Amino acid sequence: MGQRGAESEVEIVVDGQRQRVAPGITVAAALFNLGISALRRSVSGESRGPVCGMGVCFECRVTIDSRPHQRACMVAVVDGMHIHTASDS
Amino acid sequence: MTGEYFTTGEYAGTDAEVVVADVAVIGAGPAGIAAAASAAERGLRVALLDRGLESGGQIWRHINGVAIPRVAQQWLARLDKSGAQILRRTSVVDVSVDVAGFEILAESSGRALHIRVTNIILATGAREMFIPFDGWTLPGVMGIGGAQALLKSGGSFAGKRVVIAGSGPLMLPVAAALAESGARLVLVAEQAKRSAVARFAAGLWRTPSTLMQAARYRARFMSSSYSTGTWVTAAHGSDRLESVTVTNGRRTWRETADVLCTGYGLIPNVELARLIGCETRDGAVVVDDDQRTTIANVQAVGEVTGIGGAPLSLIEGEIAGLTVGSRLSVPLPLLRRRATFEAAARRMFDVFAPRAELRALPTPTTIVCRCEDVTYGVVQDAVCARQAKLHTRAGMGPCQGRTCMPGLEFLLAWHSDTVRPPIEPALVSILSSEVAKNAPSSFLSNSCVGDVYQ
Ligand SMILES: Cc1cc2nc3c(=O)[nH]c(=O)nc-3n(C[C@H](O)[C@H](O)[C@H](O)COP(=O)(O)OP(=O)(O)OC[C@H]3O[C@@H](n4cnc5c(N)ncnc54)[C@H](O)[C@@H]3O)c2cc1C
Ligand code: FES
């Protein structure tokens, strides 16, 4: 996404931190590019990240704009979006 | 099909939307796109549903600005002109049958959508098969197709140390795409024997365009190491992947890695077909020459009828689009092309059967069901998938067993369990939004579709 100009980027808030990311990419891609690998905690407390990338495995669930259990691989980033992951300590 | 979730008997007062059409095409990959376009061109009212953000399925899905192949552009343009209504971000969770036809229940951006149709074309595609091993739940371990999807949806692998380990033709294009995007491919490990892969390569001569493609893929990651008869036995890391253990049966070693892409081939997404009652054989939906399933007015096209690649999916889609709701006969050249590609597909996929050693991958403490964190030791004694689900909750989480069950069926020689609705987790409000038989229904139109997205 390096070829895109900074002016076309969108600003999202991830675990309380403002981040600028490429427009149109999925939330899973944005978090991957930001180096955030633990998206959710499993029932026994393990960190989990995306597996299938196609909406099947439900391992990429995060909270988006206060809605829990959203699949990060199935949602595109939007300017002003708030995302909460399991990496937030 | 049981209707078990439709308990209210009358309009439940939700903001459910109703769409009425002649044909619902479920899945907007190459197969579904071809089916929807061909049917709509005949003047039928067609609704094309897909849970994804964009039409295109596994191979043509793209984000703005990323080039897609010419054939994809042509089909998407044809779809655009055809008049088919495209419902994106729409997951089908249940289908029921009555005298008037089918009622499809879908979740569309958090709202219930009821689609009433007389014909269904299933184009639900395929997913990857995973075999669990120690550490496969660490962040950084993902599917081979998962990595491809992440890349296509804007993920950057530049500078990352990547190991690709698994089986099947999917490894080559993904390795090439990752290498091209700047990933450092540490190892590409194919579990199949060298002789099997050679047989596969020889078979490619019969389908020249595929051969050219494979050769190009190979050339693009030539500098990295490609090994046959090699597989990953464990992944290590504290809170994310740090390294993997690799073996070729004689020697075992470690490789440092940021990302491990793993997967053992593709399996058809037959859950919806089985829910409707369509017969399946060897994990694929059984269809006749017109792509009709064993259930009246339900056709199936593409990977859900057996793994065969995008060109075959397109032909099958076109055939279903031409024959849906009619007895039109399929043009002979189309039938001949389907036969050619089918033969090629069978040769392609036979050689990649997982080797017996892979049955020893999981240990008793390996998590097999990622949704419920059920270990292999706990499910091992169950005699079938049904028993495991009832006694251990394996396969009962949000993914409904779609991630773990195919692997467990391979490891423990289980038969598939029966399918119950909802096939995907859906909001309770959606599951309880039965629309009374005489509820006002809007005809499929732009305004109705627009409403759904507000
Ligand atoms: C992970 C993966 C990666 C692949 N990579 C390659 C590659 O690099 N090169 C190559 O030549 N081939 C590849 N293939 C094979 C290729 O995708 C297929 O041959 C081709 O896309 C034809 O598939 P299709 O139209 O039958 O299904 P697909 O393209 O898989 O499309 C099926 C669609 O159905 C939708 N769907 C499924 N269930 C539901 C539901 N309940 N509700 C709503 N929508 C639903 C899915 O979202 C999907 O978009 C890949 C396949 C997979 C599974
Ligand atoms: S990565 Fe599997 S559902 Fe998102």
Side-chain angles (χ1 to χ4, degrees), chain A residues 1 3-4 23-26 28-30 32-33 35-59 61 67 71 73-76, chain B residues 51-53 58 61 63-65 91 110 126-127 130 137-139 141-143 145-146 149-150 153-157 160 239-240 259 269 367 370-373 398-399 402-403 424-425:
Chain A
M1 298 289 101
Q3 72 273 30
R4 287 175 204 271
I25 69 177
T26 58
F32 186 72
N33 296 350
I36 297 172
S37 55
L39 270 48
R40 74 170 192 109
R41 293 249 176 267
S42 73
V43 295
S44 68
E46 285 190 355
S47 297
R48 296 287 167 80
V51 177
C52 71
M54 55 191 273
V56 171
C57 74
F58 287 76
E59 285 287 57
R61 279 172 286 162
R67 288 177 64 197
R71 284 170 284 183
C73 70
M74 292 277 102
V75 180
Chain B
R51 73 163 84 87
L53 290 168
Q58 287 318 308
R61 190 164 288 146
I63 62 157
N64 297 340
S91 293
R127 63 177 180 271
F130 299 111
T137 54
L138 283 167
V141 180
M142 58 184 79
L150 198 55
S153 64
S156 165
F157 288 77
K160 297 222 190 289
D239 203 41
R240 63 192 291 170
V259 174
N269 290 323
I367 287 178
R370 308 175 66 116
C371 296
E372 300 285 339
D373 285 356
C399 94
R402 285 179 294 176
T403 313
E424 298 203 354

Coordinates of all heavy atoms in Angstrom, one line a residue, chain A residues 1 3-4 23-26 28-30 32-33 35-59 61 67 71 73-76, chain B residues 51-53 58 61 63-65 91 110 126-127 130 137-139 141-143 145-146 149-150 153-157 160 239-240 259 269 367 370-373 398-399 402-403 424-425:
Chain A
M1 N 0.8 -1.2 0.0 CA 0.0 0.0 0.0 C 0.9 1.3 0.0 O 0.4 2.4 0.1 CB -0.9 0.0 1.2 CG -1.9 -1.1 1.3 SD -3.2 -1.1 0.1 CE -2.6 -2.2 -1.2
Q3 N 2.4 2.8 -2.2 CA 2.3 3.8 -3.3 C 1.2 4.8 -3.0 O 1.1 5.8 -3.7 CB 2.1 3.1 -4.6 CG 0.8 2.5 -4.8 CD 0.7 1.0 -4.3 OE1 1.4 0.7 -3.3 NE2 -0.1 0.2 -4.9
R4 N 0.3 4.6 -2.1 CA -0.8 5.5 -1.8 C -0.3 6.7 -1.1 O 0.5 6.6 -0.1 CB -1.9 4.8 -1.0 CG -2.6 3.9 -1.8 CD -3.6 3.2 -0.9 NE -4.0 1.9 -1.4 CZ -5.0 1.7 -2.3 NH1 -5.7 2.7 -2.7 NH2 -5.2 0.5 -2.7
P23 N -6.7 3.1 2.9 CA -8.1 3.0 2.8 C -8.5 1.7 2.1 O -7.8 1.2 1.3 CB -8.5 4.2 1.9 CG -7.3 4.5 1.1 CD -6.1 4.1 1.9
G24 N -9.7 1.2 2.4 CA -10.3 0.1 1.7 C -9.8 -1.2 2.1 O -10.3 -2.3 1.7
I25 N -8.8 -1.3 3.0 CA -8.2 -2.6 3.4 C -9.1 -3.2 4.5 O -9.9 -2.4 5.1 CB -6.7 -2.5 3.8 CG1 -6.6 -1.8 5.1 CG2 -5.9 -1.9 2.7 CD1 -5.1 -1.7 5.6
T26 N -9.0 -4.5 4.8 CA -9.8 -5.0 5.9 C -9.2 -4.6 7.2 O -8.0 -4.3 7.3 CB -9.9 -6.6 5.8 OG1 -8.6 -7.1 5.8 CG2 -10.6 -7.0 4.5
A28 N -8.5 -6.8 9.5 CA -7.5 -7.8 9.7 C -6.2 -7.4 9.1 O -5.1 -7.5 9.7 CB -8.0 -9.1 9.1
A29 N -6.2 -6.8 7.8 CA -5.0 -6.4 7.2 C -4.4 -5.2 7.9 O -3.2 -5.2 8.1 CB -5.3 -6.0 5.7
A30 N -5.2 -4.3 8.3 CA -4.7 -3.1 9.0 C -4.0 -3.5 10.3 O -2.9 -3.0 10.6 CB -5.9 -2.1 9.3
F32 N -2.7 -6.4 11.1 CA -1.5 -7.2 10.7 C -0.4 -6.2 10.3 O 0.7 -6.4 10.8 CB -1.9 -8.1 9.4 CG -0.8 -9.0 9.0 CD1 -0.4 -10.1 9.8 CD2 -0.1 -8.8 7.8 CE1 0.6 -11.0 9.4 CE2 0.9 -9.7 7.4 CZ 1.3 -10.8 8.2
N33 N -0.7 -5.2 9.6 CA 0.3 -4.2 9.2 C 0.8 -3.4 10.4 O 2.0 -2.9 10.4 CB -0.2 -3.3 8.1 CG -0.6 -4.0 6.8 OD1 -0.2 -5.2 6.7 ND2 -1.2 -3.4 5.9
G35 N 1.3 -4.7 13.2 CA 2.0 -5.6 14.1 C 1.2 -6.2 15.2 O 1.8 -6.7 16.2
I36 N -0.1 -6.0 15.2 CA -0.9 -6.5 16.3 C -1.3 -7.9 15.9 O -2.1 -8.1 15.0 CB -2.2 -5.6 16.5 CG1 -1.7 -4.2 16.9 CG2 -3.1 -6.2 17.5 CD1 -2.8 -3.1 16.9
S37 N -0.8 -8.9 16.7 CA -1.1 -10.3 16.3 C -2.2 -10.9 17.1 O -2.8 -11.8 16.6 CB 0.2 -11.1 16.4 OG 0.8 -11.0 17.7
A38 N -2.3 -10.5 18.4 CA -3.4 -11.1 19.2 C -4.7 -10.4 19.1 O -4.8 -9.3 19.6 CB -2.9 -11.2 20.7
L39 N -5.6 -10.9 18.3 CA -6.9 -10.2 18.1 C -7.9 -10.5 19.2 O -8.7 -9.7 19.5 CB -7.4 -10.5 16.7 CG -6.9 -9.6 15.6 CD1 -5.4 -9.4 15.6 CD2 -7.3 -10.1 14.2
R40 N -7.9 -11.8 19.6 CA -8.9 -12.2 20.6 C -8.2 -13.1 21.6 O -7.1 -13.6 21.4 CB -10.1 -12.8 20.0 CG -9.9 -14.2 19.5 CD -11.2 -15.0 19.1 NE -10.9 -16.4 18.9 CZ -11.3 -17.3 19.7 NH1 -12.1 -17.1 20.8 NH2 -11.1 -18.6 19.5
R41 N -8.9 -13.3 22.7 CA -8.5 -14.4 23.7 C -9.4 -15.6 23.6 O -10.6 -15.4 23.5 CB -8.5 -13.9 25.1 CG -7.5 -12.8 25.4 CD -6.4 -13.2 26.4 NE -5.5 -12.1 26.5 CZ -4.4 -11.9 25.7 NH1 -4.1 -12.8 24.8 NH2 -3.7 -10.8 25.8
S42 N -8.9 -16.8 23.5 CA -9.7 -18.0 23.4 C -10.3 -18.2 24.8 O -10.0 -17.6 25.8 CB -8.8 -19.1 23.0 OG -8.0 -19.6 24.1
V43 N -11.2 -19.2 24.8 CA -11.9 -19.5 26.1 C -10.9 -19.9 27.2 O -11.2 -19.7 28.4 CB -13.0 -20.6 26.0 CG1 -14.1 -20.1 25.1 CG2 -12.5 -21.9 25.5
S44 N -9.7 -20.4 26.9 CA -8.8 -20.8 27.9 C -7.7 -19.7 28.0 O -6.7 -19.8 28.7 CB -8.1 -22.1 27.6 OG -7.3 -22.0 26.5
G45 N -7.9 -18.5 27.4 CA -7.0 -17.4 27.6 C -5.9 -17.3 26.6 O -5.0 -16.4 26.8
E46 N -5.8 -18.1 25.6 CA -4.7 -18.0 24.6 C -5.0 -16.8 23.7 O -6.1 -16.5 23.4 CB -4.7 -19.3 23.7 CG -4.1 -20.5 24.4 CD -3.9 -21.6 23.3 OE1 -4.3 -21.4 22.1 OE2 -3.4 -22.7 23.7
S47 N -3.9 -16.3 23.1 CA -4.0 -15.3 22.1 C -4.3 -15.9 20.8 O -3.7 -17.0 20.5 CB -2.7 -14.5 22.0 OG -2.4 -13.8 23.1
R48 N -5.1 -15.3 20.0 CA -5.5 -15.9 18.7 C -5.5 -14.8 17.6 O -5.8 -13.6 17.9 CB -6.8 -16.5 18.7 CG -7.0 -17.7 19.6 CD -6.3 -18.9 19.0 NE -6.1 -20.0 20.0 CZ -7.1 -20.8 20.4 NH1 -8.3 -20.7 19.8 NH2 -6.9 -21.7 21.3
G49 N -5.1 -15.2 16.4 CA -5.1 -14.2 15.2 C -5.8 -14.9 14.1 O -6.2 -16.0 14.1
P50 N -5.9 -14.2 12.9 CA -6.6 -14.7 11.8 C -6.0 -16.0 11.2 O -4.8 -16.2 11.3 CB -6.4 -13.6 10.7 CG -5.8 -12.4 11.4 CD -5.3 -12.8 12.7
V51 N -6.9 -16.9 10.7 CA -6.5 -18.1 10.2 C -6.9 -18.3 8.7 O -6.1 -18.5 7.8 CB -7.0 -19.3 11.0 CG1 -6.6 -20.7 10.4 CG2 -6.4 -19.3 12.4
C52 N -8.3 -18.1 8.5 CA -8.8 -18.5 7.2 C -8.8 -17.2 6.2 O -8.8 -17.4 5.0 CB -10.2 -19.1 7.3 SG -11.4 -17.9 7.8
G53 N -9.0 -16.1 6.8 CA -9.1 -14.9 6.0 C -10.4 -14.8 5.2 O -10.5 -13.9 4.3
M54 N -11.3 -15.7 5.4 CA -12.5 -15.7 4.5 C -13.8 -15.9 5.3 O -14.8 -16.3 4.8 CB -12.4 -16.8 3.5 CG -12.1 -18.2 4.0 SD -11.7 -19.3 2.7 CE -13.3 -19.9 2.2
G55 N -13.8 -15.5 6.6 CA -15.0 -15.5 7.4 C -15.5 -16.8 7.9 O -16.6 -16.9 8.4
V56 N -14.6 -17.9 7.9 CA -15.1 -19.2 8.3 C -14.7 -19.5 9.7 O -15.4 -20.1 10.5 CB -14.5 -20.3 7.3 CG1 -14.8 -21.7 7.8 CG2 -15.2 -20.1 5.9
C57 N -13.4 -19.2 10.1 CA -12.9 -19.7 11.4 C -13.2 -18.9 12.6 O -13.2 -19.4 13.7 CB -11.4 -19.8 11.3 SG -10.5 -18.2 11.3
F58 N -13.6 -17.7 12.5 CA -14.0 -16.8 13.6 C -12.9 -16.5 14.6 O -13.1 -16.1 15.7 CB -15.2 -17.3 14.4 CG -16.5 -17.2 13.6 CD1 -16.8 -18.0 12.5 CD2 -17.4 -16.2 13.9 CE1 -18.0 -17.8 11.8 CE2 -18.6 -16.0 13.2 CZ -18.8 -16.8 12.1
E59 N -11.6 -16.8 14.2 CA -10.5 -16.5 15.1 C -10.1 -15.0 15.1 O -9.3 -14.6 16.0 CB -9.3 -17.4 14.6 CG -9.4 -18.8 15.0 CD -9.2 -19.1 16.5 OE1 -9.9 -18.5 17.3 OE2 -8.3 -19.9 16.8
R61 N -11.9 -12.4 15.6 CA -13.0 -11.5 16.2 C -12.4 -10.4 17.0 O -11.5 -10.6 17.8 CB -13.9 -12.4 17.0 CG -15.0 -13.1 16.2 CD -15.8 -14.0 17.1 NE -15.0 -15.2 17.4 CZ -15.3 -16.0 18.4 NH1 -16.3 -15.7 19.2 NH2 -14.6 -17.1 18.6
R67 N -19.3 -2.9 18.8 CA -20.0 -4.2 18.5 C -19.0 -5.3 18.7 O -18.0 -5.4 17.9 CB -20.5 -4.1 17.1 CG -21.8 -3.2 17.0 CD -22.3 -3.2 15.6 NE -22.7 -4.5 15.1 CZ -22.9 -4.8 13.8 NH1 -22.6 -3.9 12.9 NH2 -23.4 -5.9 13.4
R71 N -15.9 -10.1 12.7 CA -14.8 -10.7 12.1 C -13.9 -9.7 11.3 O -14.4 -9.1 10.4 CB -15.3 -11.8 11.1 CG -15.8 -13.0 11.7 CD -16.5 -13.9 10.8 NE -17.8 -13.4 10.5 CZ -18.7 -14.0 9.7 NH1 -18.4 -15.2 9.1 NH2 -19.9 -13.5 9.5
C73 N -11.6 -9.9 9.3 CA -11.3 -10.2 7.9 C -12.5 -9.9 7.0 O -12.4 -9.9 5.8 CB -10.9 -11.6 7.7 SG -12.2 -12.9 7.9
M74 N -13.6 -9.6 7.6 CA -14.9 -9.4 6.8 C -15.3 -7.9 6.8 O -16.4 -7.6 6.4 CB -16.0 -10.3 7.3 CG -15.8 -11.8 7.1 SD -16.3 -12.3 5.4 CE -14.7 -12.4 4.6
V75 N -14.5 -7.0 7.4 CA -14.9 -5.6 7.6 C -13.8 -4.7 7.1 O -12.7 -5.0 7.3 CB -15.2 -5.3 9.1 CG1 -15.6 -3.9 9.3 CG2 -16.2 -6.3 9.7
A76 N -14.2 -3.7 6.3 CA -13.2 -2.8 5.8 C -13.0 -1.6 6.7 O -14.0 -1.3 7.4 CB -13.6 -2.3 4.4
Chain B
R51 N -21.2 -13.5 1.6 CA -20.8 -12.8 2.9 C -19.7 -11.8 2.7 O -19.5 -11.0 3.6 CB -20.5 -13.9 3.9 CG -19.2 -14.6 3.7 CD -18.8 -15.3 5.0 NE -19.3 -16.6 5.1 CZ -18.7 -17.7 4.6 NH1 -17.6 -17.6 3.9 NH2 -19.3 -18.9 4.7
G52 N -19.0 -11.9 1.6 CA -17.8 -11.0 1.5 C -18.1 -9.6 1.2 O -19.2 -9.2 0.9
L53 N -17.0 -8.8 1.3 CA -17.1 -7.3 1.0 C -17.3 -7.1 -0.5 O -17.8 -6.1 -0.9 CB -15.9 -6.6 1.5 CG -15.7 -6.5 3.0 CD1 -14.3 -6.0 3.3 CD2 -16.7 -5.6 3.6
Q58 N -12.8 -16.6 -3.7 CA -11.4 -16.8 -3.2 C -10.4 -16.3 -4.2 O -9.3 -15.8 -3.8 CB -11.1 -18.2 -2.9 CG -11.8 -18.7 -1.7 CD -11.7 -17.7 -0.6 OE1 -10.7 -17.2 -0.2 NE2 -12.9 -17.3 0.0
R61 N -11.4 -12.1 -5.5 CA -11.7 -11.0 -4.5 C -10.5 -10.1 -4.5 O -9.4 -10.4 -4.6 CB -11.8 -11.6 -3.1 CG -12.4 -10.7 -2.1 CD -12.9 -11.5 -0.9 NE -14.1 -12.2 -1.2 CZ -14.4 -13.3 -0.6 NH1 -13.6 -13.9 0.2 NH2 -15.6 -13.9 -0.9
I63 N -9.1 -5.8 -3.4 CA -9.5 -4.5 -2.9 C -9.2 -3.4 -3.9 O -8.5 -3.7 -4.9 CB -8.7 -4.1 -1.6 CG1 -7.2 -4.1 -1.9 CG2 -9.0 -5.1 -0.5 CD1 -6.5 -3.2 -0.9
N64 N -9.8 -2.3 -3.7 CA -9.7 -1.2 -4.7 C -8.2 -1.0 -5.1 O -7.3 -1.0 -4.3 CB -10.2 0.1 -4.2 CG -11.6 0.0 -3.9 OD1 -12.3 -0.9 -4.4 ND2 -12.1 0.9 -3.0
G65 N -7.9 -1.0 -6.4 CA -6.6 -0.7 -6.8 C -5.8 -1.9 -7.1 O -4.7 -1.8 -7.8
S91 N -24.7 -13.2 4.8 CA -24.4 -14.6 5.1 C -25.7 -15.4 5.2 O -26.6 -15.1 5.9 CB -23.7 -14.7 6.5 OG -22.4 -14.2 6.4
G110 N -25.9 -7.3 9.9 CA -26.5 -7.2 11.2 C -28.0 -7.3 11.2 O -28.7 -7.3 12.2
A126 N -15.2 -23.5 -1.7 CA -14.4 -24.4 -0.8 C -13.7 -23.7 0.2 O -13.6 -22.5 0.3 CB -13.4 -25.2 -1.7
R127 N -13.1 -24.4 1.2 CA -12.3 -23.8 2.2 C -11.1 -24.8 2.4 O -11.0 -25.8 1.8 CB -13.0 -23.7 3.5 CG -13.5 -25.0 4.1 CD -14.1 -24.8 5.5 NE -14.6 -26.0 6.1 CZ -15.8 -26.6 5.9 NH1 -16.6 -26.0 5.1 NH2 -16.1 -27.7 6.5
F130 N -7.4 -28.2 7.5 CA -6.3 -28.0 8.4 C -6.1 -29.3 9.2 O -7.1 -30.0 9.5 CB -6.6 -26.9 9.4 CG -6.7 -25.6 8.8 CD1 -8.0 -24.9 8.7 CD2 -5.6 -24.9 8.2 CE1 -8.1 -23.7 8.1 CE2 -5.8 -23.7 7.6 CZ -7.0 -23.1 7.5
T137 N -2.3 -22.9 17.1 CA -3.2 -21.9 17.5 C -2.5 -20.5 17.8 O -3.1 -19.5 18.1 CB -4.0 -22.3 18.8 OG1 -3.0 -22.6 19.8 CG2 -4.9 -23.4 18.5
L138 N -1.1 -20.5 17.7 CA -0.4 -19.3 17.9 C -0.7 -18.2 16.8 O -0.8 -18.6 15.7 CB 1.1 -19.5 17.9 CG 1.7 -20.2 19.1 CD1 3.2 -20.7 18.8 CD2 1.8 -19.2 20.3
P139 N -0.9 -17.0 17.2 CA -1.0 -15.9 16.2 C 0.2 -15.9 15.3 O 1.3 -16.1 15.8 CB -1.1 -14.6 17.0 CG -1.6 -15.0 18.4 CD -1.0 -16.4 18.6
V141 N 0.3 -18.2 12.8 CA 0.1 -19.4 12.1 C -1.3 -19.3 11.4 O -2.3 -19.0 12.0 CB 0.0 -20.7 13.0 CG1 -0.3 -21.9 12.2 CG2 1.3 -20.8 13.8
M142 N -1.3 -19.3 10.1 CA -2.5 -19.1 9.3 C -2.6 -20.0 8.1 O -1.7 -20.8 7.8 CB -2.6 -17.6 8.9 CG -1.5 -17.2 8.0 SD -1.6 -15.4 7.6 CE -1.0 -14.7 9.1
G143 N -3.8 -20.1 7.5 CA -4.0 -20.9 6.3 C -3.2 -20.4 5.2 O -2.8 -19.2 5.2
G145 N -4.4 -20.2 2.1 CA -5.4 -19.4 1.5 C -5.7 -18.1 2.4 O -6.0 -17.1 1.9
G146 N -5.5 -18.3 3.7 CA -5.7 -17.2 4.6 C -4.7 -16.1 4.4 O -5.0 -14.9 4.4
A149 N -5.5 -14.4 1.3 CA -6.7 -13.5 1.4 C -6.2 -12.2 2.2 O -6.6 -11.1 1.8 CB -7.8 -14.2 2.2
L150 N -5.3 -12.4 3.2 CA -4.8 -11.2 3.9 C -4.0 -10.3 3.0 O -4.2 -9.1 3.0 CB -3.9 -11.8 5.1 CG -3.6 -10.8 6.2 CD1 -4.9 -10.3 6.8 CD2 -2.8 -11.6 7.3
S153 N -6.3 -8.5 0.7 CA -7.1 -7.4 1.3 C -6.3 -6.3 2.0 O -6.8 -5.6 2.8 CB -8.1 -8.1 2.4 OG -7.3 -8.7 3.4
G154 N -5.0 -6.3 1.6 CA -4.2 -5.1 2.0 C -3.1 -5.4 3.0 O -2.4 -4.5 3.4
G155 N -3.0 -6.7 3.4 CA -1.9 -7.0 4.4 C -0.6 -7.0 3.7 O -0.4 -7.3 2.6
S156 N 0.5 -6.5 4.5 CA 1.8 -6.4 3.9 C 2.7 -7.4 4.6 O 2.9 -7.4 5.8 CB 2.4 -5.0 4.1 OG 3.8 -5.0 3.9
F157 N 3.3 -8.3 3.8 CA 4.2 -9.3 4.3 C 5.7 -8.9 4.1 O 6.6 -9.8 4.3 CB 3.9 -10.7 3.7 CG 2.7 -11.3 4.1 CD1 1.4 -10.9 3.6 CD2 2.7 -12.4 5.0 CE1 0.2 -11.5 4.1 CE2 1.5 -13.0 5.5 CZ 0.3 -12.5 5.0
K160 N 8.8 -10.1 6.2 CA 8.5 -11.2 7.2 C 9.1 -12.5 6.7 O 9.2 -12.8 5.6 CB 7.0 -11.3 7.2 CG 6.2 -10.1 7.8 CD 5.2 -10.5 8.7 CE 4.3 -9.3 9.1 NZ 4.9 -8.3 10.0
D239 N 3.7 -15.8 22.8 CA 2.4 -15.3 22.5 C 2.1 -15.1 21.0 O 1.1 -14.7 20.6 CB 2.3 -14.0 23.3 CG 0.8 -13.6 23.5 OD1 0.1 -14.5 23.9 OD2 0.4 -12.4 23.4
R240 N 3.1 -15.4 20.2 CA 3.0 -15.4 18.8 C 4.1 -16.3 18.2 O 5.0 -16.7 18.9 CB 3.1 -14.0 18.2 CG 4.5 -13.4 18.5 CD 4.5 -11.9 18.2 NE 4.4 -11.6 16.8 CZ 4.2 -10.4 16.3 NH1 4.0 -9.4 17.1 NH2 4.1 -10.3 15.0
V259 N 5.7 -15.9 10.2 CA 4.4 -16.4 9.7 C 4.6 -17.9 9.2 O 5.5 -18.2 8.5 CB 3.9 -15.5 8.5 CG1 2.6 -16.1 7.9 CG2 3.6 -14.1 9.0
N269 N -17.5 -26.6 0.5 CA -18.4 -26.1 1.5 C -19.8 -26.7 1.3 O -20.6 -26.0 0.7 CB -18.5 -24.6 1.5 CG -17.2 -23.9 2.0 OD1 -16.5 -24.4 2.9 ND2 -16.8 -22.8 1.3
I367 N -4.6 -28.5 21.0 CA -6.0 -28.0 20.9 C -6.4 -28.3 19.5 O -5.7 -28.0 18.5 CB -6.1 -26.5 21.1 CG1 -5.9 -26.2 22.6 CG2 -7.4 -25.9 20.6 CD1 -5.9 -24.8 23.0
R370 N -10.6 -24.9 17.9 CA -10.1 -23.6 18.3 C -11.1 -22.7 19.0 O -10.8 -21.8 19.7 CB -9.5 -22.9 17.1 CG -8.5 -23.7 16.3 CD -8.1 -23.0 15.0 NE -7.4 -21.8 15.4 CZ -6.1 -21.6 15.0 NH1 -5.4 -22.5 14.4 NH2 -5.5 -20.5 15.4
C371 N -12.4 -23.0 18.7 CA -13.5 -22.2 19.3 C -13.7 -22.5 20.7 O -13.9 -21.6 21.5 CB -14.8 -22.4 18.5 SG -14.8 -21.9 16.8
E372 N -13.6 -23.8 21.1 CA -13.9 -24.2 22.5 C -12.7 -24.7 23.2 O -12.8 -25.2 24.3 CB -15.0 -25.3 22.4 CG -16.3 -24.9 21.8 CD -17.1 -24.0 22.7 OE1 -16.9 -24.0 23.9 OE2 -18.0 -23.2 22.2
D373 N -11.5 -24.6 22.6 CA -10.2 -25.1 23.2 C -10.3 -26.5 23.7 O -9.9 -26.9 24.8 CB -9.8 -24.2 24.3 CG -9.2 -22.8 23.8 OD1 -9.1 -22.7 22.5 OD2 -8.9 -22.0 24.6
P398 N -18.5 -21.0 17.3 CA -19.0 -20.1 16.3 C -18.7 -20.7 14.9 O -19.5 -20.5 13.9 CB -18.3 -18.8 16.5 CG -17.8 -18.8 17.8 CD -17.7 -20.2 18.3
C399 N -17.6 -21.4 14.7 CA -17.3 -21.8 13.3 C -18.0 -23.1 13.0 O -18.0 -23.6 11.8 CB -15.8 -22.0 13.1 SG -15.1 -23.6 13.3
R402 N -16.4 -26.1 11.2 CA -15.9 -26.0 9.8 C -14.3 -26.0 9.8 O -13.7 -26.3 8.8 CB -16.5 -24.8 9.1 CG -17.9 -25.0 8.7 CD -18.5 -23.8 8.0 NE -18.6 -22.7 8.9 CZ -19.0 -21.5 8.6 NH1 -19.3 -21.3 7.3 NH2 -19.1 -20.5 9.5
T403 N -13.7 -25.5 10.9 CA -12.3 -25.5 10.9 C -11.7 -26.8 11.4 O -10.7 -27.3 10.9 CB -11.8 -24.3 11.9 OG1 -12.5 -23.2 11.5 CG2 -10.3 -24.1 11.7
E424 N -24.3 -20.7 10.2 CA -23.3 -19.7 10.7 C -23.9 -19.1 11.9 O -25.2 -19.1 12.0 CB -23.0 -18.6 9.7 CG -22.5 -19.1 8.4 CD -21.7 -18.0 7.7 OE1 -21.7 -16.9 8.1 OE2 -21.1 -18.4 6.7
P425 N -23.1 -18.7 12.9 CA -23.8 -18.0 14.1 C -24.5 -16.8 13.6 O -24.0 -16.0 12.8 CB -22.6 -17.7 15.0 CG -21.4 -17.8 14.1 CD -21.7 -18.6 13.0

